[in-house]
Amino acid sequence: WYAEFLPVCRRGPLMAAVSVGWPVGRATLIIASNAIGDAWRYLVVLAAVCFSALSIVILYAPESPRFLLVLGDAAAARRVISNIHTLNRSAPSWDSDTHLCIAPGG
């Protein structure tokens, strides 16, 4: 869902970095678990802390504008996009005649 929030010019490299992150993270975990040995409980605690942090981030993440459009709530989608522009300190690139839509087949 986060891909629609990425700048178009950087979307490919950032998605590739995320895709590489999974196997790198898995390899790091395997190496760490071998280094720690019988103290595996520390890794469980670390995973719980990371999961808690991610849960907090998800609570405050904006709703997907595309999902809101699928639900038929274009006003909420426009508000989310406006809020993102505000956070990025940029001006929305639409006027009052602009309509949000979902591309056919998307």
Side-chain angles (χ1 to χ4, degrees), residues 69-102:
L69 284 175
V70 168
L71 292 179
D73 195 353
R78 189 177 293 268
R79 279 193 304 274
V80 169
I81 294 171
S82 294
N83 289 341
I84 291 169
H85 278 289
T86 301
L87 289 172
N88 290 330
R89 296 183 183 99
S90 63
S93 56
W94 66 71
D95 56 24
S96 60
D97 294 330
T98 303
H99 299 283
L100 300 175
C101 63
I102 299 175

Side-chain angles (χ1 to χ4, degrees), residues 9-93:
C9 61
R10 294 184 180 165
R11 191 171 293 163
L14 290 172
M15 291 300 295
V18 168
S19 297
V20 170
W22 284 103
V24 168
R26 184 175 295 153
T28 303
L29 181 63
I30 290 169
I31 292 168
S33 66
N34 284 333
I36 289 176
D38 288 338
W40 56 269
R41 289 175 183 86
Y42 294 119
L43 290 177
V44 173
V45 170
L46 178 63
V49 168
C50 292
F51 177 76
S52 299
L54 179 62
S55 297
I56 292 169
V57 168
I58 287 175
L59 287 174
Y60 293 99
E63 186 64 77
S64 163
R66 185 181 187 285
F67 176 72
L68 292 169
L69 284 175
V70 168
L71 292 179
D73 195 353
R78 189 177 293 268
R79 279 193 304 274
V80 169
I81 294 171
S82 294
N83 289 341
I84 291 169
H85 278 289
T86 301
L87 289 172
N88 290 330
R89 296 183 183 99
S90 63
S93 56

